Amino acid sequence: MRLPRPLLQLSAGLGLALSLVTARADDTIDQGARPMGELHVVAAFDGPGPSGIAVTPGGRIFVGFPRHAENHPGPALAELKDGRLIPYPSRAFSLPSQVPWQDQLVSPHGMTTDSRGRLWLIDDGKIAGHPIEPGQAKVVGIDPATNRVFANIVIRPPAMLADSHLNDLRVDLSHGSQGTVYIADSSFGTSPALIVVDVASGRQRRVLAGDRSTSADPGFVAMMEGRPLRYDPTHPSFPIGGVDGITLSPDQSRLYYTPLSSRRLYSIPTAVLSDFNASEQRLAAAVRDEGDKGAADGLATDPQGRIYTTDFEHDAIRQRQTDGSFRILARDPRIVWPDGIYATGHQVYVVLGQWDRLPGFNHGHDLRQPPYLLVSIPTDPAPRLNAADVR
């Protein structure tokens, strides 16, 4: 059908207007909101939410299922194998039972491997609705080659407090005859600190309590799923706390750490931190402010010395280069409260816990939406190739 000229002119004008509107709408999209990076779903979990993640040099994957937010009957620690969760290192040690607290896992949170490829985890000992009893909170070392528990060190007062939340750990085999463990106590209250444990003797001490580097920033505001929320330790509306993320340099000479309610990254030489004779003044003087790194929960380091941070404000994972610069490794709307993180030479594994959606932060409403994801992200971008340039 042939349109009269006035209608043709109107039609052409409308088409031009629509094209301009489309172009302008596309031009004004916030590029920082676009998904980016390669995100591979390794596993999806129903039931209790996962937290810790560790991967051995041989590729075995271990996931922790703490009970501090939800007292569940499943394994506290499991190996992901052939699409199944296998209680690890045994059903007796991983599942709830009547054995003494020291002889079972209660609520493992942070996990790691040492330079010999052995698995370590921090059991925060907290069961939802109950105080932490003696023997529940502990450092556990497991040898994947034999599936044997070779270290089981109960954390006791005064290193541990009644409101402690033993959140994550790293193991330094370069200090102490059998190594030294560094624990981030983010605190369920307002008493964060680092805890240092000598593996051989079990000796332990609480350090840098009250230091700025382990404490939440007063007035800290986080953007959580589009809502600005202010740090309030008496009425928390999102996960908050002191020192939380923790990671070692590849040569184990420096420990990096960050409070949960802060955007600063700090570090300290392990030669000083592992010294049980070092005074608080010497420890505080050895702390170095590494600058702003965004708001993060977990930290990890790859063999090249790059640090990975879980950016819970922007549904993203960041990579800090050795020169201190950053790049976004991945950004995706499925990255809801990234928690546990583990870096290999080529992949970063991240557990997406949705912890900000717990009922305690949302007026009693559980806003979590299973499944909870374990994802992996390449540490380096895929090469860009052009066959036209090949001669």
Side-chain angles (χ1 to χ4, degrees):
M1 179 179 65
R2 185 176 181 180
L3 295 174
R5 180 174 294 275
L7 288 180
L8 282 171
Q9 293 173 338
L10 177 61
S11 176
L14 286 173
L16 177 60
L18 287 172
S19 66
L20 288 173
V21 169
T22 302
R24 288 170 183 165
D26 186 68
D27 288 344
T28 57
I29 290 176
D30 181 357
Q31 302 300 313
R34 292 181 181 272
M36 65 173 294
E38 299 179 49
L39 196 73
H40 305 282
V41 176
V42 177
F45 305 104
D46 290 309
S51 180
I53 171 69
V55 183
T56 68
R60 295 173 68 181
I61 299 175
F62 299 96
V63 184
F65 297 89
R67 297 190 176 97
H68 67 266
E70 178 183 0
N71 187 11
H72 63 84
L77 174 66
E79 180 175 3
L80 181 60
K81 187 175 182 179
D82 300 326
R84 299 172 56 216
L85 289 171
I86 311 298
Y88 191 80
S90 65
R91 296 179 63 86
F93 198 66
S94 182
L95 292 171
S97 68
Q98 299 303 311
V99 302
W101 290 120
Q102 184 171 346
D103 298 326
Q104 63 174 302
L105 288 174
V106 180
S107 182
H109 210 71
M111 298 164 55
T112 190
T113 58
D114 63 23
S115 57
R116 293 171 54 184
R118 299 178 301 179
L119 178 67
W120 293 81
L121 55 94
I122 183 67
D123 187 344
D124 71 12
K126 177 70 173 176
I127 297 176
H130 299 275
I132 301 174
E133 297 185 17
Q136 288 184 317
K138 50 193 171 289
V139 171
V140 176
I142 307 171
D143 186 352
T146 62
N147 300 323
R148 182 181 68 86
V149 176
F150 66 87
N152 192 331
I153 306 169
V154 173
I155 308 300
R156 298 182 172 90
M160 179 178 167
L161 306 181
D163 66 353
S164 282
H165 181 196
L166 308 184
N167 197 287
D168 208 349
L169 84 168
R170 291 297 182 265
V171 180
D172 168 18
L173 297 186
S174 69
H175 294 94
S177 62
Q178 296 180 34
T180 303
V181 179
Y182 310 114
I183 303 169
D185 181 358
S186 60
S187 180
F188 283 115
T190 55
S191 309
L194 290 172
I195 297 175
V196 182
V197 180
D198 176 69
V199 175
S201 65
R203 186 181 181 188
Q204 49 199 252
R205 71 186 295 215
R206 187 177 188 86
V207 300
L208 294 174
D211 190 79
R212 180 188 177 188
S213 68
T214 64
S215 303
D217 286 346
F220 175 78
V221 176
M223 183 65 71
M224 294 303 309
E225 301 198 61
R227 296 181 300 156
L229 301 173
R230 184 177 295 276
Y231 168 73
D232 182 350
T234 58
H235 299 92
S237 54
F238 64 104
I240 61 173
V243 58
D244 187 299
I246 185 171
T247 192
L248 276 171
S249 61
D251 64 1
Q252 305 176 85
S253 67
R254 202 159 197 93
L255 184 80
Y256 294 85
Y257 60 97
T258 180
L260 183 60
S261 301
S262 172
R263 293 186 175 83
R264 309 302 293 182
L265 179 67
Y266 300 94
S267 72
I268 186 170
T270 54
V272 179
L273 186 59
S274 63
D275 183 358
F276 278 77
N277 295 317
S279 67
E280 282 293 324
Q281 292 76 14
R282 183 184 172 204
L283 289 165
V287 172
R288 185 168 73 196
D289 187 336
E290 301 283 351
D292 196 321
K293 53 92 187 75
D297 187 333
L299 301 178
T301 311
D302 68 15
Q304 295 93 317
R306 299 173 296 187
I307 296 176
Y308 299 84
T309 75
T310 60
D311 184 350
F312 57 77
E313 288 189 292
H314 302 101
D315 303 337
I317 306 300
R318 298 190 191 195
Q319 183 189 67
R320 182 182 185 266
Q321 311 298 309
T322 55
D323 65 359
S325 62
F326 285 85
R327 77 178 183 93
I328 299 296
L329 201 66
R331 181 173 54 240
D332 191 287
R334 292 172 293 178
I335 302 180
V336 179
W337 199 274
D339 184 13
I341 182 169
Y342 187 94
T344 69
H346 304 286
Q347 295 284 329
V348 174
Y349 294 81
V350 187
V351 174
L352 310 181
Q354 303 184 32
W355 296 114
D356 61 305
R357 296 176 175 179
L358 284 169
F361 302 129
N362 297 281
H363 308 289
H365 301 290
D366 191 346
L367 304 182
R368 294 175 297 172
Q369 300 178 31
Y372 308 101
L373 301 180
L374 167 61
V375 300
S376 68
I377 307 161
T379 58
D380 293 286
R384 297 189 65 172
L385 309 174
N386 187 340
D389 291 336
V390 177
R391 297 291 187 267

